[in-house]
Amino acid sequence: MYLLVFDASLAVYLMSTIFFMIALFVRRVRPAAIATWILTLAFVSHGGSFIVRYGETGYSPLLAINEALSFFAWVATGIYLLLQTITKTRLLGAFVAPIVTIAMFISLQTTPGHIVIPPALRGSLVIVHVALTVAGEALFFLASAAGAMYLLQDGFLKKRKAVSFARLFPSLRDLDRINHVCVLWGFPLLTFGVIAGSLWARTVWGSHWQWDPRQIWTLIVWMTYAVLLHQRLAIGWKGHKAAVYSLAAFVILLASLIVVRGFLPSAHTFV
Amino acid sequence: MGILLVGMNHRTAPLQMRERLSRVCGEGVEADLPKEISTVCSIQEVLTMVTCNRIEVVAWSDDHDGAVQEIKDIFQRRGNFLPGELDGCLYAYDNLDAVRHLFRVAASLDSMVIGEPQILGQVKEAYRQAVGHGTTGVILNKVLHHAFRVAKRVRTETAVAGHAVSVSYAAVELAKKIFGSLEDKTVMLVGAGEMSELAARNLIKHGVQHIVVANRTFDRAVQLAAKFQGTAAEFDRLAEKLGEADIIISSTGAPGYLVTADMVRGALRRRKNRLLFLVDIAVPRDIDPAAGEIDNVFLYNIDDLQDIADENRQLREREAERADAIVEEEVAKHDAWFHTLSVVPTIVALREQAEAIIKGEIERSSPWLQALSEVERQRVEILAKSIVNKILHGPITGLKDESRQHGTMAYVAALRTLFRLDE
């Protein structure tokens, strides 16, 4: 049942992505509006899949890597849709929907048949830790998507040519604002997520900090975003610089996830 | 019987000729043009449209060649033209060609600047006046409403009207790409020339509320600022004032760079790196091109803006080809409608409609009809049918008689409209 709902959501996400691509290439608003509605539908059915998963397994469906990825996609979609209603930056979805679809696809590929939750993950603080961190990362992803679009649009405008490809792109100011808001909200989420994690680490491992590769990398990511936020709020980084930095920060975040999971032995890797 | 269109436009006649004719044909001229044309006996319906770029007469007539000649004569008489002087300037279309031309005019495909938005309003106004004069009838009403629909379709389905084709609108569009809404933005005009005034006007139209004017002669700055309810700034303090504006439009006659890259850097620092849009429409340039390399600064000079406007113009021309395909489709629809305007199918359609109404009403009344005996029920049905037939008898024989004596189409069209046979 879970897989059925999940597959259906994935298909709807894919459809939304296709409509966004059409909007990008025919340069009309209509397909983007349709894509946004489809994305909303995907968001709702995907939300339903978590409930189904919980009903079937009896544990909060965030703990396994596939579930965390799926949750990441869901939060990113939800926040994007929320931002979309406020700023009407429809075409940003053309950057968000494909990534969300890919995340969903990887999630599907890594869904195990049956898993046993290790004792170290049995506790409500773990759920808080995962939910907050993943939500923070989803916001950072949106920030970097807005940043990427900003850099494209910025490049077009600097070239001083009428670029028909960019006709429907949102204004620089809207993209910059989305970039800022996402980092501004993502940062406290990640912070509290990490705090929740370290509190839990003390109960299971005996201390807040173990110099685990995962923990070190997370600290690096956290500091990167702290610097970005500081530069923006105190020094007045805006536009181009902020967009470049937020993209770089997300690359570090992505690298930390891949490197730790793939190549480094970590006590933090569970399922 | 057919639709005809006689007219001249910016392609077929020089300005001087169009002026001369529009002076004696436009509104306010004593004997109004549509009134006069409608007195021509071969013309049943007429609509005239006079703008600075065109004069068009659309008519419904039963003698095409005669009517065209009469209209040409009226033009010649009114404008005091020599015989033959108008020959090369006027065009005349009939039936589908006339309809196609009308559709293209309404959709702004025949305009000097393709896609310019005023023309549809002018066609609507011409139609309103013709209706006011009582010179239109069933046919032209139908054709004109169709033309309005075509114009709307072209506007929504193609990009003929999209994107700026003038320098000052290109600047507005760029400002929107950068800032989104322009409502809380400040514009600074450096130099109080005509070009900057025009650009400022367009920006105000799109929401800009605050204008600052800096000019070498302060009085002129004060004057221009007063026009926009803005403020005047002293020219010597340009460097520090730069930081206050989001959009700067420069158009002075200064020989060298007035605004250096360092000045822009300073301004950007003061405004905490908020985006800055510089428009340099002066020749020679006022703003050092190096300023355009700075992050968060967008610098466009007059050539950049002209290039964009030209490119958009080319885009509109490409879109016009797609628009013409839409026009062709609609002309075919018009043709199909036109073919329904013959007597026999109309009478058949009218009868069928009446039968359907009788059947529907009897079914609706079946609950209480059940209470009657079989014979009584049949009598009710006969009664209903004979009432309807009596009512239809007049229109049907009238249609047959009139169509033998005069042209049929106008009557058929009227009947189809009144009885809503096409819905």
Side-chain angles (χ1 to χ4, degrees):
Chain A
M1 179 64 187
Y2 165 70
L3 276 180
L4 198 69
V5 180
F6 190 92
D7 284 346
S9 309
L10 175 55
V12 183
Y13 276 121
L14 189 65
M15 202 150 79
S16 168
T17 305
I18 292 167
F19 269 90
F20 272 121
M21 292 302 132
I22 293 172
L24 209 56
F25 286 101
V26 301
R27 299 185 288 280
R28 287 189 201 291
V29 182
R30 183 78 57 85
I34 297 171
T36 307
W37 281 111
I38 298 175
L39 193 62
T40 312
L41 184 72
F43 176 71
V44 172
S45 79
H46 188 185
S49 83
F50 290 110
I51 298 169
V52 173
R53 183 74 166 171
Y54 182 73
E56 283 177 2
T57 62
Y59 67 85
S60 303
L62 300 177
L63 300 178
I65 179 70
N66 66 303
E67 293 162 345
L69 254 173
S70 159
F71 184 66
F72 166 84
W74 189 67
V75 173
T77 307
I79 294 165
Y80 165 70
L81 287 170
L82 189 72
L83 287 171
Q84 202 284 132
T85 55
I86 300 168
T87 56
K88 289 281 165 216
T89 43
R90 281 216 180 87
L91 227 58
L92 181 56
F95 285 58
V96 176
I99 304 292
V100 163
T101 310
I102 291 170
M104 288 290 281
F105 190 72
I106 299 173
S107 166
L108 182 68
Q109 293 301 310
T110 51
T111 300
H114 180 73
I115 56 163
V116 182
I117 298 299
L121 293 187
R122 294 198 183 133
S124 54
L125 252 186
V126 177
I127 303 297
V128 174
H129 165 62
V130 174
L132 289 178
T133 329
V134 171
E137 284 164 357
L139 275 158
F140 290 154
F141 156 62
L142 285 178
S144 67
M149 206 167 192
Y150 182 101
L151 291 179
L152 268 180
Q153 172 85 306
D154 183 89
F156 291 147
L157 283 166
K158 282 273 188 198
K159 254 193 238 150
R160 303 190 197 96
K161 285 246 154 58
V163 180
S164 57
F165 187 68
R167 274 186 202 287
L168 288 185
F169 275 31
S171 69
L172 287 181
R173 190 207 193 184
D174 280 344
L175 290 170
D176 188 45
R177 221 189 299 159
I178 288 177
N179 178 285
H180 177 48
V181 166
C182 288
V183 173
L184 194 65
W185 286 97
F187 186 72
L189 286 181
L190 183 68
T191 309
F192 287 124
V194 167
I195 292 173
S198 78
L199 289 179
W200 183 246
R202 184 171 166 76
T203 45
V204 284
W205 290 325
S207 77
H208 291 298
W209 188 258
Q210 284 82 30
W211 291 106
D212 183 87
R214 178 63 171 273
Q215 291 172 333
I216 297 165
W217 272 97
T218 305
L219 188 67
I220 293 170
V221 170
W222 184 87
M223 288 200 305
T224 313
Y225 277 99
V227 170
L228 172 59
L229 208 55
H230 172 266
Q231 294 303 86
R232 199 191 251 278
L233 294 176
I235 313 290
W237 274 18
K238 280 192 187 67
H240 187 261
K241 227 179 224 172
V244 170
Y245 197 101
S246 70
L247 256 176
F250 191 69
V251 170
I252 295 175
L253 168 63
L254 216 57
S256 83
L257 293 179
I258 293 167
V259 167
V260 172
R261 204 174 166 79
F263 306 104
L264 295 175
S266 165
H268 194 279
T269 311
F270 300 101
V271 259
Chain B
M1 287 303 273
I3 294 168
L4 64 90
L5 186 148
V6 181
M8 65 165 63
N9 63 19
H10 52 93
R11 268 191 296 274
T12 63
L15 176 62
Q16 165 206 8
M17 202 84 128
R18 300 197 308 267
E19 263 174 359
R20 201 158 137 202
L21 198 54
S22 69
R23 211 174 296 133
V24 291
C25 291
E27 267 298 276
V29 179
E30 228 170 283
D32 282 314
L33 187 64
K35 269 255 149 69
E36 184 176 348
I37 295 176
S38 66
T39 58
V40 173
C41 61
S42 64
I43 289 175
Q44 279 80 43
E45 300 178 23
V46 64
L47 169 139
T48 64
M49 182 180 150
V50 182
T51 74
C52 50
N53 275 338
R54 63 180 66 251
I55 292 153
E56 311 270 2
V57 176
V58 190
W60 168 246
S61 142
D62 50 19
D63 170 18
H64 174 81
D65 295 338
V68 169
Q69 196 51 52
E70 293 265 16
I71 293 167
K72 283 182 175 171
D73 287 348
I74 291 172
F75 281 164
Q76 191 181 321
R77 200 167 56 245
R78 282 193 170 217
N80 271 327
F81 292 103
L82 299 171
E85 198 181 350
L86 279 172
D87 280 356
C89 303
L90 288 174
Y91 45 80
Y93 298 115
D94 64 349
N95 295 321
L96 293 186
D97 292 332
V99 171
R100 180 179 300 113
H101 183 78
L102 177 66
F103 286 0
R104 293 190 79 243
V105 168
S108 193
L109 298 173
D110 196 55
S111 304
M112 206 189 280
V113 177
I114 292 174
E116 56 95 359
Q118 279 94 12
I119 187 73
L120 180 60
Q122 288 163 340
V123 177
K124 281 186 173 165
E125 176 59 22
Y127 175 60
R128 209 181 53 77
Q129 280 175 14
V131 170
H133 287 305
T135 60
T136 61
V138 208
I139 305 273
L140 285 195
N141 286 345
K142 192 99 182 179
V143 172
L144 262 296
H145 280 117
H146 196 172
F148 301 152
R149 281 203 307 280
V150 176
K152 192 175 172 208
R153 239 194 104 186
V154 166
R155 197 155 282 260
T156 50
E157 291 178 25
T158 72
V160 285
H163 304 292
V165 290
S166 72
V167 165
S168 67
Y169 266 102
V172 171
E173 232 165 59
L174 284 166
K176 285 191 162 174
K177 278 247 165 265
I178 296 168
F179 298 112
S181 152
L182 301 182
E183 245 146 56
D184 50 352
K185 296 289 165 282
T186 299
V187 174
M188 181 165 180
L189 304 180
V190 182
E194 215 170 294
M195 275 290 265
S196 50
E197 193 179 331
L198 181 68
R201 252 177 232 296
N202 280 330
L203 285 164
I204 287 171
K205 216 187 284 173
H206 287 85
V208 166
Q209 277 165 0
H210 192 213
I211 305 260
V212 182
V213 185
N215 195 47
R216 210 174 280 283
T217 42
F218 190 65
D219 286 349
R220 175 83 184 106
V222 173
Q223 265 174 28
L224 190 60
K227 264 194 204 169
F228 300 123
Q229 278 125 31
T231 50
E234 280 153 50
F235 207 69
D236 327 329
R237 293 173 56 210
L238 189 63
E240 54 188 286
K241 284 281 175 187
L242 280 183
E244 291 172 18
D246 304 287
I247 302 169
I248 295 165
I249 300 172
S250 190
S251 65
T252 73
Y257 296 142
L258 268 181
V259 178
T260 63
D262 277 337
M263 278 165 82
V264 173
R265 253 179 231 115
L268 209 61
R269 248 196 316 279
R270 267 197 299 286
R271 52 189 278 109
K272 291 200 170 156
N273 291 318
R274 285 206 310 275
L275 304 176
L276 183 59
F277 181 30
L278 305 175
V279 183
D280 187 354
I281 47 183
V283 180
R285 285 177 287 180
D286 283 344
I287 304 174
D288 183 353
E293 308 293 317
I294 303 167
D295 273 356
N296 293 0
V297 175
F298 301 91
L299 168 62
Y300 281 72
N301 64 38
I302 185 87
D303 278 6
D304 300 330
L305 294 174
Q306 190 62 57
D307 285 350
I308 289 171
D310 288 346
E311 207 157 312
N312 285 338
R313 198 183 293 261
Q314 282 165 18
L315 177 86
R316 281 191 184 193
E317 274 155 22
R318 282 200 299 278
E319 286 294 299
E321 284 169 24
R322 292 183 51 218
D324 270 321
I326 292 177
V327 167
E328 276 322 306
E329 239 174 69
E330 295 291 332
V331 168
K333 271 188 211 164
H334 167 87
D335 195 32
W337 171 74
F338 211 68
H339 278 297
T340 64
L341 298 184
S342 52
V343 179
V344 179
T346 303
I347 291 174
V348 171
L350 189 60
R351 286 237 160 90
E352 275 170 2
Q353 192 193 44
E355 301 273 320
I357 290 172
I358 293 170
K359 205 167 158 239
E361 288 304 301
I362 284 178
E363 257 165 37
R364 222 157 61 95
S365 310
S366 66
W368 64 265
L369 282 175
Q370 295 301 327
L372 303 179
S373 72
E374 181 64 26
V375 180
E376 283 170 321
R377 245 188 331 241
Q378 273 173 9
R379 277 188 190 151
V380 170
E381 275 179 38
I382 291 168
L383 176 68
K385 276 184 186 158
S386 63
I387 290 174
V388 169
N389 283 339
K390 275 266 151 56
I391 291 174
L392 289 186
H393 180 73
I396 288 175
T397 49
L399 183 66
K400 284 178 181 161
D401 291 347
E402 291 294 338
S403 66
R404 231 165 276 137
Q405 289 160 20
H406 312 286
T408 57
M409 284 176 172
Y411 286 95
V412 172
L415 194 87
R416 294 193 86 96
T417 310
L418 290 176
F419 284 92
R420 308 201 185 289
L421 293 183
D422 295 320
E423 282 165 21

